[in-house]
Amino acid sequence: MDERSTAELLGVPEGVVKSRLNRARSSFRKAWTR
């Protein structure tokens, strides 16, 4: 699912989706490298 579809589904702006995805990826990366 792309960011635009996710934003529409959640009812939030596309920028919010991108921000949350970026934060989630960063968090996952930190947990994975421990």
Side-chain angles (χ1 to χ4, degrees):
M1 184 177 274
D2 67 346
E3 292 157 351
R4 181 171 293 162
S5 300
T6 304
E8 288 176 15
L9 181 69
L10 296 175
V12 297
E14 198 173 335
V16 171
V17 174
K18 289 181 181 185
S19 174
R20 289 180 183 174
L21 278 171
N22 190 34
R23 209 173 313 141
R25 288 182 185 120
S26 176
S27 181
F28 179 81
R29 211 174 288 120
K30 284 180 186 174
W32 187 258
T33 57
R34 284 185 186 164

